[in-house]
Amino acid sequence: MGMISAVLGRLSQAFLLLVAMSVIGFIGIHSVGNPVFNVVNIETATPEDIRGATIALGLDQPIWHQYVVFVDNVVRGNFGTSYIYHLPAFELLMSKLPATLELASIAMLIAAPLGTALGLVAGRRIGTLFDRTLLQASVSALSIPSFWLAMMLILVGALLTGWFPSGGRGTTAHLLGQDWSFLTANGLWHLVLPAMALAIPNIALIARLSRSGTIEVESLDFTRFCRAKGLSSRRILFRHTLPNISVPIVTIIGLQFGGMLAFAVVVESIFSWPGVGKLLIDSIQLLDRPVVMATLTFVAVAFVLLNALVDLFYAVLDPRVRLSS
Amino acid sequence: MTVDHTNAPLLRVENLGLRHVSGASSTPILSQVSFDLGRGEILGIIGESGAGKSTIGNAILGLLAPEFQQTSGTVSFGGKAMDRMTAEERAALRGKRIAAVFQDHTASLDPLMSVGAQIEETCLALDTRLSRHQARARSIDLLARVGIAEPERRYGNYPHQFSGGQRQRIVIAIALAGAPDIIIADEPTSALDASVQKQVLDLIRDLVDETGVSVILITHDMGVISEITDRVLVMRKGKVVEADRTSVILDQPAHAYTKKLLAAVPRLRVTTGPPQTDGGSEIAADAPSGEGLRVPMHLVAEGVSKQFAPRGLVWGFGRRGESFGLRDVGIRLPRGTITGIVGESGSGKTTFGRILAGLDTAPSGRIIIDDQAYDVARSGRRSGLLGRVQMIFQDPSVSLNPRMTIEETLEESIRFGASARRQDSQANVASMMDRLGLARNLLARHPHQLSGGQKQRVCIARALLAEPELIVADEPTSALDVSVQAEIVTLLKETIAERAITMVFISHDLAIVQAMCSAVYIFKDGRVEDFGSSDFIFARSDNSYTRTLIEARPQRFTC
C-alpha cells in the first residue's frame, strides 16, 4: 500500500506540475505578441483578412476561454495545428525528437562514465597533479559559455583540421518510422562535435560530484574496514565506493538529460541540428502557439518521467529505501 | 608464513615511536611503547583520548595515514619485523593473520551490500581457492558462530535490518573470516548499549577460549577492561605508564594516573543506604505508582506520543520493522530537583528531551510548567517553551558555532535569553566564566581551540546565562574523557543547585544518574518502563528490565 500511495502522490504532483506549466506557458506566449501577424501577409492583408484570421484561430475569445479550448483539445490528444508549418503540432514535435534524443543520449553516454571515472581517480589521489588539473579544467569547462565552446569545437574540429563536419545530421537511416543519424557511419561522424559540446560541461559537473563523493566515502569507516579485512583497493573502489557515491550522480544525470532534451538550443542552432530545442525557440519567435505548448508539455512530462526513473534507481541501489516500511 | 607456536610471542612491539608530521610541524604520538602479545590472550590498552592507543592498532594493521612516521622501534609478527616486509607482504597479513573490529558498527559495514555478500567477499579475498559456493557456506557458518539466529535467512539482509549489537557481531564474523591469529578491536563496544555490550564482550571471550585467537582490545572504559582482559597496558600521552595483569591493575595500581582513572569510574550502589541526595523522598518514596507527590510540580508532561514516519519512498509491501517513537510518555519534575531519564539507544529519551525543550514536536500530549499548559504539537517559538527550557547537548564539539568566539556565543545567550524578557537580569559572562572554572582569556578563542571539557563548560555557561527555569541535559558527559566527566558532573550539579533550576538529566550510564538524580525514569521502546526515587530504582525495584540494566554493568564497579 505504501507503494501505491507513493505512485499516487507522484502522479498528482505530475498533474499539478502540468497544469501550472501550461498556465504559465499559455499566459507567457500570449503576452509575447499577437500571432495573427505572422499568419497573414502583413504587406497585403486587409483589416477584414486580419479579422477573419483572428476569428479562424480563435484569438478573438478572452484568454481564459482560449485556455479552456486548449485544455479541451489536449485532453482529446490534439495540440492543434502549427500556424507556420500547417502540420499537427504534436507530429511536428515527434519528427524533431529523434535528433534531440540521439544527441542527448550520446552526450550523456560519454559524460556519465567518463565524469564518474575521472572523479573516482581524482578523489583517490587528492592533491596530486591529476587531481589539481581536473579541478582546474572542470571549473573552466563549467564557466565557459556553451556557444563559445561549440564554436571552438567547430574551429578546431572542423575548420582547422577538417576531421569532422561542422553541422547538419548527415546521412540518416530509418528505424521505427523515424530518421536516425547514429545508425550510419556518416551520421555518427556528424554527431561527434555537437555531442562533445553537450558532454564537456557535464563531464566537469559529474567529475566534481564524483570526486567529492569519493573523498567523503573513502574517509568513512567501512572503507577502512574493507582494507583491514584484506580487500584489494580496486575492489573497494568499484564494489563499495562507486555504489555509495552514485545517488547524487544519478540525480544530476537525470536533471541534465532532461535539460538537454529541451534546452540544448544553443548547441543545436550552432550545429544546425534540427532538434526540439531549436524547434521551441523558433516557434516562440514565430509565435507558433500550438507548437510551443506541445513542446512545453512534452518537456514537463519528460522531466516527470526522468525523476521517476531516478527514484526507481535509488530504490534499486539503496536497500534502506527499498525495504523501508 | 608460518608462525612459531612455542617460543617467540605472537606479536612483539619494541620501543615503538611515531610522530605525526604535517607541513613543518611534527608532533610525537607514541614513544617507547613496548609490549608482547601471547597466543590466546586478551590484552587491553586503556587511555583517554589522545593517548595514542588507536594509533598502536593502526600501526600493527599497517593502516597508518602517510603523515605518521615511525621514529624508532619495531613491530614483529611471528618473529619477523613488520617494517622489513614489503607492502605486499603486509597487505597479505591484513584480514588473514591480523584482523580488525572498529568502534562504529554502523559505519563499518557498507550500507548498500547485503551482510552475506560482505562476509563472502572477505572469504574470497582471503582464500582464493574457495568457490563461491564454499564461501557462502563458510559465511553462513560464521554468522551462526557469532550468534546470529537463522543465518541462512538473514544472509541476504542489509546492515540497517540488524540491531547495533547484531551489526557488531557481523563485524566480528568478518574479522574471523580469515581465521586470523590476532584481532585488533578498537573500542568494539563503545557504541553499544550496556546490556548488548556485555553480550558482545562475552562473545569475544568465548571466541578466544574456543579458537585461541589473540585480541588487542583498545578502550577508554575501565568497565570493559575489568570484564574480559587478561593483561592491561595503561597509556597516557603516547607513553605506557603501567602494564600488568588485569587483576593487579584493578586492585593494586602502582601509577598515580592509573589510580586516577580507576577513581574516576562512576560506581553504582545497589544496596540500600542512607539517601545520598535529599529530595529523593519527594517523588514516589517507595511505590512506582507515584503516591505522596506533595511537593508542587515544576513541570508535568502528560501523554506525549510521537510516531516516526518512515523515511523516503516506500517501494516494498508490508514488513513493519522496529517501531520507534514515544507512546504515552509522562513525567513529573518537582521544583529544583534533578530527574534522570535512563534508556538505551532508540528508547526515545533524546526525542523526549528535545520535546521538553521545545526543539521537537509531538502530535499529542501536553506540558505544564507552573500551571501554564503548552501544546507540544506546535514547534519552536510558538510553543513558548523555547527560552524557558535550555538544553545541553551530548557532543560539545558540534554544539558550538565554530565561526563564533566563545564570548560571542555567550553574549548571544544573554541577549536572546531571559534578559531579553526581564530587565533585572544579573547575567554576566565574566563571572559565569569564573564560576565554571574557565579562564577569561578563553573568551576570545574559537571552539576548536578549546579542549572537550572546556567546550562542555562553555555549553553549560551558555545554558545558564539564558537564565532558564529548566535545563534538559542530554548525555552531557558521554563524549568526554572519564577524568573530565567527574568534574563536569560535579560542576553541573553544584551550579544547578545554586540557582534552584529544575533539571532533566538524560543518560545511559546508571552510575552517573545515581550520583546526580533524586528520581529516575527508565525508558524502553518509547515508554516509561519504570520510575521512582533513585534509591528505589537502584536498590529495590523488581522491574525485570531495570534489573537487566543494572546487572549488565561490569560487576567490578557495582557495590
Side-chain angles (χ1 to χ4, degrees), chain A residues 132-190:
Chain A
R132 279 174 297 156
T133 315
L134 183 82
L135 274 181
Q136 285 300 328
S138 66
V139 172
S140 319
L142 282 173
S143 37
I144 54 175
S146 62
F147 76 87
W148 189 85
L149 178 66
M151 291 194 306
M152 284 304 119
L153 283 170
I154 290 179
L155 184 70
V156 175
L159 300 184
L160 293 181
T161 60
W163 290 338
F164 301 101
S166 64
R169 288 187 74 187
T171 322
T172 56
H174 224 60
L175 180 75
L176 303 171
Q178 302 287 357
D179 292 327
W180 303 87
S181 294
F182 77 98
L183 294 172
T184 68
N186 180 274
L188 267 181
W189 213 236
H190 279 78

Side-chain angles (χ1 to χ4, degrees), chain B residues 14 79 110 131 202 468 501 506:
Chain B
E14 274 179 294
D110 183 341
S131 71
D202 288 347
I501 295 171
I506 300 172

Side-chain angles (χ1 to χ4, degrees), chain B residues 15-227:
Chain B
N15 193 28
L16 182 66
L18 275 174
R19 35 175 71 252
H20 181 265
V21 183
S22 72
S25 73
S26 152
T27 338
I29 302 291
L30 295 177
S31 57
Q32 299 168 349
V33 174
S34 303
F35 63 89
D36 286 351
L37 178 70
R39 185 165 284 277
E41 184 181 39
I42 304 183
L43 172 71
I45 301 183
I46 190 168
E48 300 187 289
S49 52
K53 53 194 193 304
S54 291
T55 312
I56 295 182
N58 286 334
I60 297 169
L61 283 166
L63 288 180
L64 285 177
E67 303 92 77
F68 288 89
Q69 287 176 359
Q70 191 169 335
T71 50
S72 69
T74 50
V75 178
S76 27
F77 175 75
K80 187 169 181 196
M82 291 176 84
D83 38 336
R84 262 183 254 131
M85 294 181 191
T86 62
E88 286 76 41
E89 281 179 307
R90 296 206 74 170
L93 287 181
R94 267 204 297 276
K96 219 169 191 169
R97 317 311 300 265
I98 306 179
V101 172
F102 294 140
Q103 170 173 3
D104 190 343
H105 48 78
T106 314
S108 292
L109 297 170
D110 183 341
L112 305 184
M113 195 187 255
S114 73
V115 297
Q118 294 191 50
I119 305 177
E120 197 179 297
E121 69 170 1
T122 317
C123 293
L124 287 170
L126 297 178
D127 189 347
T128 45
R129 293 162 307 170
L130 282 184
S131 71
R132 210 153 248 283
H133 191 72
Q134 289 169 312
R136 186 187 161 92
R138 183 180 285 187
S139 308
I140 290 172
D141 276 352
L142 285 167
L143 278 178
R145 176 104 154 265
V146 295
I148 301 287
E150 302 181 78
E152 287 93 351
R153 190 176 68 75
R154 306 294 316 256
Y155 188 82
N157 286 13
Y158 290 86
H160 74 279
Q161 293 168 299
F162 292 87
S163 69
Q166 286 175 321
R167 277 199 289 265
Q168 196 62 301
R169 285 168 188 271
I170 291 164
V171 171
I172 292 173
I174 292 174
L176 288 172
D181 298 303
I182 301 175
I183 294 178
I184 294 175
D186 192 348
E187 304 270 9
T189 56
S190 307
L192 298 175
D193 291 324
S195 56
V196 184
Q197 165 170 330
K198 182 152 172 58
Q199 295 166 9
V200 171
L201 290 177
D202 288 347
L203 172 68
I204 295 176
R205 181 81 252 180
D206 289 347
L207 290 172
V208 169
D209 294 344
E210 274 172 39
T211 65
V213 65
S214 308
V215 174
I216 296 181
L217 196 135
I218 297 163
T219 183
H220 69 282
D221 187 345
M222 268 297 179
V224 172
I225 291 286
S226 72
E227 291 274 299

Side-chain angles (χ1 to χ4, degrees), chain A residues 1 3 6 221-222 224-225 227-231 235 239-240 243-244 311 315 318-325, chain B residues 58 94-95 100 107-108 110-113 118 121-122 158 160-161 171 174 310-311 313-319 321:
Chain A
M1 82 230 140
M3 174 138 162
D221 250 1
F222 77 79
R224 199 160 68 98
F225 188 61
R227 289 173 65 201
K229 72 189 193 185
L231 297 190
R235 186 177 171 90
R239 287 306 307 277
H240 294 281
N244 276 284
D311 277 343
D318 192 338
R320 288 164 297 188
V321 176
R322 184 164 72 236
L323 302 169
S324 67
S325 50
Chain B
N58 286 334
R94 267 204 297 276
S108 292
D110 183 341
L112 305 184
M113 195 187 255
Q118 294 191 50
E121 69 170 1
T122 317
Y158 290 86
H160 74 279
Q161 293 168 299
V171 171
I174 292 174
R311 285 186 307 119
L313 266 178
V314 183
W315 294 93
F317 288 86
R319 280 183 61 89

